[in-house]
Amino acid sequence: MLHSKNVDRAVFLPTMILFGVVSVILITGGPAVQQLMNALLSFVTSKYEWLYISIYVINFVFFIVLIFSKYGKIRFGKADPGKDYSSFQWGSMVFATAIDASILMLSATDPLQYLQHPAFGAKPLSADAFAYANVVGQFNWGPMAWMMFATATIAIAYTMYVKKIPVRRLSTVIPILRGDQFYKKVLRQFIDFLVVFGIMGGIGSSIGMEIPVIARVLSIIVGIKDTIYLKLFLFFILLILFSLTVYAGLNKGIKKLSAWHIYLAIIFLAIVLLVGPTKYLIGSEGHSLELMGQHFAALSFNKANAGTNGFAQHQTLFYWGWWLAYMPVMGLFIARISHGKTIRQVVIGMMTYGVGGCLSFYAVLGGYALWLQQSGTLNIVHILNTQGQAAVQAALITTLPMNKLMLIIFCVSCFIFLATTISSSAFIVSSFTSLDLSNGRQPSRWNRMAWVIVFIIFSLGIVVVGGFETVQAICTVAGFPLIFVCGLLLFSIYQSVTGREEMAKVKVPNYLPVVNLRPLQKIMINHHLLHNISQDDF
């Protein structure tokens, strides 16, 4: 049956079993699982913080240099306006797929956390604390974060559209792992396992974080108790929505859902901006961006000087693990929709749609939450400390005009956010476990649907375990091994765009005195041979 559905049993079955085993452990483990994850989080962040910081700084500098170099003009296949996605379609799919409903919650609650644990030596709840409250959060969703998605995207797109090599797995795009040697086969399988491990952490954490928020908001709208049965009902609704989207496929399902999501997000933010303290929100965002620019170097090296508890540094490591966990699956997805675009267009597009979209949420929702606290309209910090993040979101929305309608828009937006992220992830994992996807063929619907069900069960396990700290631990730990994958991908991109990979394959002909050649002479010979210079002309 698996072969008839174009499914690669060697990858599908072990991966499916892995998801199943971890899901059972989460559902049945209880507090012991939570304690284990927190212990792992403490160990990784205390011992290997420097690795997270190093890979993000190196990755950011690498792509800044790349897009402004001559290699930024490299195009991923010949542009075809009839088949390629427009800039808006591409941007909406990138943003809606990469950023799930977490941005709706965290953009409002993060500034309140930093208000109590301010960066750069400010006193809690002081004027300086209000000024800095949005800075670290926006940095964690800003340029350095989005550049992490560019790593896998550029490596995969170059392999697919320039080298014309089909890509179903991330290990395919790493040249130094190609070959029939046993150790290379083992390394390729290990890389692919790490990709699945990252997907588990990213997707499961997203749903595990957002379902409790949606349940709390829905309980206010409908007037029913927020219980585990309401959460199970939401999982059932998500299962139906994900199934319909994945069944429809990339163009009919995910593309349309992404466009609806962007329009709904714009409407939601516009209403908050217009009916809220518009002048305050615009002014405070301008000041936040100015402060982020001033402290960008310190933030990049995770030196926010946040006092003894190091709250800001801890949050940044959590986000760095989260972005790393999503890096492979988002790279595989964005590469598939980037045919006809250049390296420069793809990276700058991420910076435009991705960074711009994230900063907009922090500017509006985060700024509005800070205004409620600073103006004395609502003690929203007290709500966060006593009732949690879900209560903050509900309380914030109820202060708006037409709050019932706004709560409904919020819930629908969350569902669409989740649907685009999880559906595209299921699409990519089903591609990962397919045998043949040549000539534009898509994974079988059976394969896609199987992954939707698995994601739902795994996410349910995280909700059962509960606690935002558990979500943070899973994200950070899942992203850690992908630091090394990111390093390999950067080296692969460098080899590919500069021609070093092809140069290494060239064998100097017998008619040249190779024994006495110096290294520089060998490089010159390889350069001429790559450009098909004849023997006589040479």
Side-chain angles (χ1 to χ4, degrees), residues 15 30 78 119 175 282 293 308 319 322 325 331-332 370 375 487 518:
T15 310
K78 186 177 180 180
I282 295 174
T308 55
Y319 278 111
W322 197 0
L332 284 161
L370 291 172
S375 64
R518 296 174 181 172

Side-chain angles (χ1 to χ4, degrees), residues 15 18 170 186-202 324-329 432 477-486 488:
T15 310
L18 174 66
L170 194 62
V186 172
L187 285 174
R188 288 198 297 268
Q189 291 176 346
F190 183 63
I191 293 290
D192 294 333
F193 170 79
L194 293 181
V195 171
V196 175
F197 186 70
I199 293 171
M200 289 171 63
L324 274 164
Y326 266 117
M327 180 261 293
V329 68
F432 178 84
V477 174
F480 176 72
L482 290 169
I483 292 173
F484 308 101
V485 178
C486 181
L488 287 173

Side-chain angles (χ1 to χ4, degrees), residues 331-351:
L332 284 161
F333 178 79
I334 298 172
R336 284 183 67 93
I337 63 174
S338 297
H339 180 272
K341 290 179 169 47
T342 64
I343 291 177
R344 187 173 295 134
Q345 287 174 330
V346 170
V347 176
I348 293 179
M350 288 183 182
M351 299 286 282

Side-chain angles (χ1 to χ4, degrees), residues 56 59-60 139-150 320 323:
Y56 270 85
N59 188 73
F60 181 75
F139 172 80
N140 292 337
W141 292 79
M144 290 192 72
W146 275 92
M147 285 291 193
M148 184 52 63
F149 285 168
W320 279 184
W323 290 92

Side-chain angles (χ1 to χ4, degrees), residues 426-447:
F427 185 90
I428 292 303
V429 177
S430 60
S431 301
F432 178 84
T433 55
S434 297
L435 286 170
D436 179 24
L437 296 180
S438 57
N439 300 321
R441 188 177 179 184
Q442 294 191 11
S444 67
R445 287 189 170 121
W446 184 92
N447 193 356

